[in-house]
Amino acid sequence: MLSFDPEKVKLPAGHYIAGQHVHTQGERLIVNRPSDGKAYATLSEAQADDVDRAVTLAHQAVKSSGWASAPPRDRGRVLRRWADLIEQDAALPQLEALGSTRPISDVVNHEIPFTAEAIRFYAECADKYSGDLFPTRDSSLGMLVPEPYGVIAAITPWNFPLSMASWKCGPALAAGNAVMLKPSELTPFSTARMAELAVQAGLPAGVLNIVQGRGAVTGSALVAHPLVRKVSFTGSTLTGARIMSDAAHHGMKPVTLELGGKSPQLVFDDAGDIDMVAQRILRGFTANGGQACVAGTRLIVQRAIAEPLIARLTALCQTFRPGVTWDETSRYAPLIDARQGNKVASVIAAAKAQGAEVLVGGERFADTADGWFWQPTLLSAPGAANPAVEQEIFGPVLTVQIFDEEEQGLHLAAHAIYGLCAGVHTLSLPRALRAMRAIEAGTVWINRYGRSGDFIIPTGGFLGSGIGKDLGRQAFQACQRQKSVLIDF
């Protein structure tokens, strides 16, 4: 029985610093449940002096504990124990489901295993990648020696709290760094519990710390701190640009940025079974209520199959039913809060004012109390300049555009701002590869839409969708700086 009583979930204190739950004297932030809008906790925001204290402790801990200089396999053993505890912990799934958009069944069956496996993947990386020896003259030796940065700041979003934390913490810790993690103030508690489990697994206290607060206060203090040597952020393109600028002005710190997206799903008339394609597209824009940077929210379909595909999608959209995240029968996520709900509503209204037609959905589910459950929505959008085509909505809204020739479809798939992901649906291998080459995106999925559990495949965007990579060996290596050495003998 996965269902639980939301009133009986015990919440950890917000900050977790040097192995202790800590209260600070910063502004009190109210935390609401997305499913019903109810305030269920308050959070003490970490101010600049709180961040300074926490970062200083992390800097000291990574040196005094020997974590950075420990044999890599020892670090790997700790991370594997941590992954085991994440899978075994009874409190963690409820904390994640209670305050996020993730239904408890999804958390238990997908989020927790995915999080644990990501950490195991990086545990295995700890001793698999080394430096290089370079050919020089016989009387010298050239080397490239990888070293941890020291303290890495990680700032994660509210849409997938645990898995996003694992993407940041796994490679950074495996490489020998300390991590200062700031989760979203909207979803603060599951990552605090996750850090507590890391210390129980043997991670030295202070090597992983959680500081809570808003990006403009706590996040900015982290990015600007002189002992923070690298920043990894997942979130909006606007905030990512600000972080990149702040990092440049406070020590020229490298950044990894996974930012917004407005990803196309390009469907050719030889895509195969219409029902299978429709199910694929549906998952791509409704998973987590459409609140994913990789959501495939622009359907670009060849005219010969447009009518049956749209009809099938319309019917499928009408099968969704809302349900609170602590009910194990719930399968559809609420929007995170009223602010996000109002944004979805306003973009749809602006799209309609500029000629878009609502084919299905287009409004909030009735009778959902104060939770924001938005109906899966199809919009027939007449042009690339329509707000629904142009803007990242972060809700279950799919725009529909129709093309005739391959070149026209590829032109529609391009976006002036974003280049995070794309889906290509065709049974023609040459056509699929032509589309893959033509589309300017960091990830292209062919005859599927969405990530798998293959952690070896990195993810990251082009254009305004980001810099650098999460996942894969690339994320691990990005948590190390490279020192060139030349020895004469």
Side-chain angles (χ1 to χ4, degrees), residues 168-253:
K168 309 296 186 187
C169 295
L173 294 172
N177 298 282
V179 176
M180 292 295 309
L181 174 64
K182 190 203 85 65
S184 169
E185 70 276 15
L186 303 179
T187 53
F189 295 114
S190 57
T191 44
R193 176 60 180 164
M194 185 179 174
E196 188 177 19
L197 294 174
V199 173
Q200 291 181 21
L203 188 73
V207 172
L208 172 59
N209 303 286
I210 309 293
V211 286
Q212 306 282 6
R214 293 165 294 184
V217 178
T218 311
S220 292
L222 271 178
V223 173
H225 199 284
L227 291 177
V228 168
R229 306 299 192 195
K230 181 182 188 296
V231 179
S232 183
F233 169 76
T234 297
S236 73
T237 297
L238 182 63
T239 304
R242 190 177 303 122
I243 286 173
M244 189 174 182
S245 175
D246 288 350
H249 284 94
H250 293 89
M252 296 298 293
K253 304 165 189 184

Side-chain angles (χ1 to χ4, degrees), residues 14 22 59 70 165 214 280 288-289 316 344 353 359 364 391 443 475:
V22 175
H59 175 74
R214 293 165 294 184
R280 228 183 273 152
N288 202 33
L316 289 170
V344 173
L359 304 178
R364 186 179 177 183
Q391 298 177 32
T443 296

Side-chain angles (χ1 to χ4, degrees), residues 279-309:
Q279 292 282 357
R280 228 183 273 152
I281 292 165
L282 186 79
R283 288 192 298 271
F285 83 96
T286 60
N288 202 33
Q291 297 162 114
C293 54
V294 299
T297 54
R298 292 189 294 134
L299 173 61
I300 299 162
V301 56
Q302 202 157 17
R303 191 175 302 278
I305 62 167
E307 185 175 341
L309 180 59

Side-chain angles (χ1 to χ4, degrees), residues 22-87:
V22 175
H23 293 278
T24 62
Q25 300 303 310
E27 183 176 343
R28 307 297 289 181
L29 306 177
I30 296 173
V31 189
N32 298 306
R33 301 191 302 226
S35 291
D36 60 6
K38 182 177 178 180
Y40 73 101
T42 59
L43 197 64
S44 175
E45 184 169 58
Q47 305 297 301
D49 57 343
D50 302 314
V51 170
D52 176 58
R53 183 167 59 253
V55 173
T56 301
L57 288 170
H59 175 74
Q60 294 168 351
V62 78
K63 291 182 174 296
S64 63
S65 67
W67 180 255
S69 58
R73 293 194 66 80
D74 287 355
R75 292 199 297 268
R77 274 189 282 273
V78 171
L79 295 181
R80 285 191 290 273
R81 285 196 295 269
W82 186 25
D84 292 343
L85 291 179
I86 286 170
E87 285 187 324

Side-chain angles (χ1 to χ4, degrees), residues 125-157:
C125 286
D127 68 340
K128 302 299 187 294
Y129 300 102
S130 59
D132 288 305
L133 288 177
F134 299 126
T136 60
R137 59 190 186 277
D138 288 347
S139 59
S140 69
L141 181 66
M143 297 186 294
L144 192 65
V145 180
E147 299 178 344
Y149 278 99
V151 179
I152 292 179
I155 302 173
T156 54

Side-chain angles (χ1 to χ4, degrees), residues 4 43 46 76 126 156 186 188 194 210 218 225 242 280 332 357 424 427 431 433 447 453 459 480 488:
F4 63 95
L43 197 64
T156 54
L186 303 179
M194 185 179 174
I210 309 293
T218 311
H225 199 284
R242 190 177 303 122
R280 228 183 273 152
Y332 188 58
E357 177 189 356
V424 176
L427 298 183
R431 175 176 269 175
L433 294 180
N447 295 328
T459 183
Q480 297 175 316
D488 281 349

